[in-house]
Amino acid sequence: IPEAVRSSMHEGAYAADPRLRGVTLGFMDAAVRGVRVLHHDGDTYLFRSSLVLMPEHDLGWFVAYNGPGGGAARRELLEAVAAALVPQAPPPRAPADGPVGEPLAGEFHLARAEHSGMGKVLTPLMAAEVRSDGDGSLRVTLDGRSETYLPIAPDAYRHAQRDDLLVVARDAGGRAWLHFDAGPPFEAFIATSAVQAPWYATRGALAATLLLPVAAYGAAALGWALAGVRRRRRGERLPVAWRGVRTAALLAGAVHAAFLAAFVALLVDVHPAYGVPWVLFGATPALAFVTWLPWGLAAAAAALVVATGAAVTARRGTGAGRHVGRAARFLTLGALSWVSLASLAYWHVWRWPA
């Protein structure tokens, strides 16, 4: 490689914040024990690899690991080499003495995520919880594992054990962003930036939008069965138009339940050696259901709304008050379905398959 090209590949090309080292043309720019490290990692759930350069020491290497512990081994090797080069680690930056910025609390989502690949259905698993502790430090938690960052300047933090930096920024809409220096704190993070999620887009909201419709449609089906028994005792029949609405609602409820079952099956079907869902290694039967059932739900929810409108227009066999009450109940069920679909669209689960 010509010297001019090599030099340009070692120069900083982009950083989300001036206080971060950022990236060069092809490498992440990091520091370990004060040693500048340029690295480019390549990962799947089957292997971990890394190309590492230490330009100031004219040193570099490439490693590849074919096991789930490769990420930890890669980091241990890097730290061991840095420790051999610099036995006495430089003192960490002193904690900030003044204000460190606004307290943070909430769920953060990756700025980079799959929109159309198989991994899109697992993006809810890669959300992190962030909390400001009483001493001004930030605690970032993912899958039960936490990393602590200590304040060194307003909205700037240093990892408690490493040289990695974290900067907090806010966009024009007031949303908080986390920008990690050189790399994220967890291997499950596939991006160096994360944005604070609004309340309606958190994993808790996603769980509610999946579970609540199933419970609501189930309760409604039980109510319809009991009402049917009472009508038969009185010799009454539900008007044909409303029977059509009920059929559409039962179909929507069945699709909700099928999607929830398929989604849970996809998450719990885990590779025994790697401890991650099989879907990351290729298509699974549950993936087909998770991919296509939202479209069936959209069709069923649309049919429910149309059938309700038609039944209200027919106005046969019941008074206006009973019409309004029935229509409100059915439209509420339809609204729950569309809220669920909106949540799935935010997580890229409801998209046209690529």
Side-chain angles (χ1 to χ4, degrees):
I1 301 177
E3 179 62 29
V5 175
R6 186 174 66 175
S7 297
S8 66
M9 293 180 67
H10 292 184
E11 296 175 359
Y14 171 78
D17 186 276
R19 292 168 287 186
L20 301 177
R21 285 177 285 268
V23 297
T24 71
L25 295 177
F27 293 96
M28 303 295 292
D29 195 345
V32 179
R33 298 177 73 89
V35 177
R36 188 189 184 203
V37 176
L38 301 177
H39 68 97
H40 190 117
D41 301 336
D43 297 354
T44 71
Y45 286 93
L46 295 172
F47 73 90
R48 299 286 191 272
S49 65
S50 186
L51 172 63
V52 180
L53 301 177
M54 293 181 172
E56 297 170 354
H57 295 272
D58 197 24
L59 180 65
W61 65 87
F62 172 80
V63 291
Y65 301 90
N66 63 350
R74 178 174 60 193
R75 181 75 194 188
E76 290 172 5
L77 174 61
L78 176 61
E79 292 178 349
V81 173
L85 294 172
V86 185
Q88 184 65 37
R93 303 187 197 188
D97 198 18
V100 296
E102 299 180 27
L104 280 182
E107 185 173 300
F108 282 73
H109 297 166
L110 299 182
R112 170 192 170 198
E114 288 195 47
H115 286 211
S116 57
M118 291 179 291
K120 69 180 182 178
V121 298
L122 301 179
T123 51
L125 302 181
M126 292 184 285
E129 292 291 334
V130 177
R131 291 288 183 273
S132 294
D133 290 338
D135 59 356
S137 62
L138 279 185
R139 185 175 298 273
V140 183
T141 303
L142 180 68
D143 290 338
R145 177 187 162 195
S146 295
E147 300 279 354
T148 300
Y149 288 80
L150 305 177
I152 56 175
D155 290 327
Y157 301 80
R158 178 190 178 275
H159 194 277
Q161 283 84 38
R162 303 193 298 268
D163 295 333
D164 302 341
L165 300 180
L166 181 158
V167 170
V168 178
R170 297 186 183 274
D171 59 23
R175 295 186 304 171
W177 286 75
L178 304 181
H179 300 299
F180 297 95
D181 193 18
F186 307 105
E187 287 189 22
F189 265 52
I190 57 173
T192 56
S193 295
V195 61
Q196 189 168 18
W199 66 267
Y200 57 82
T202 61
R203 288 180 295 182
L206 173 64
T209 60
L210 293 180
L211 294 172
L212 184 58
V214 173
Y217 277 99
L222 178 61
W224 298 330
L226 295 176
V229 172
R230 290 194 296 269
R231 278 195 299 271
R232 282 194 294 272
R233 288 176 177 175
R234 295 195 298 264
E236 300 175 354
R237 288 178 59 83
L238 186 69
V240 174
W242 287 110
R243 274 182 272 165
V245 177
R246 186 179 61 187
T247 300
L250 288 171
L251 177 60
V255 176
H256 268 292
F259 176 85
L260 182 61
F263 192 68
V264 171
L266 186 147
L267 296 181
V268 300
D269 187 16
V270 174
H271 192 292
Y274 292 94
V276 296
W278 273 102
V279 67
L280 291 170
F281 302 96
T284 65
L287 179 65
F289 285 98
V290 170
T291 301
W292 289 106
L293 279 176
W295 293 98
L297 177 58
L304 174 58
V305 173
V306 172
T308 302
V312 170
T313 302
R315 295 178 65 94
R316 294 174 183 171
T318 58
R322 189 174 297 181
H323 264 297
V324 172
R326 278 186 180 150
R329 291 191 292 272
F330 281 113
L331 290 178
T332 298
L333 292 174
L336 287 175
S337 294
W338 285 109
V339 169
S340 180
L341 286 168
S343 184
L344 293 175
Y346 173 87
W347 288 100
H348 313 302
V349 176
W350 183 34
R351 290 176 63 93
W352 190 258

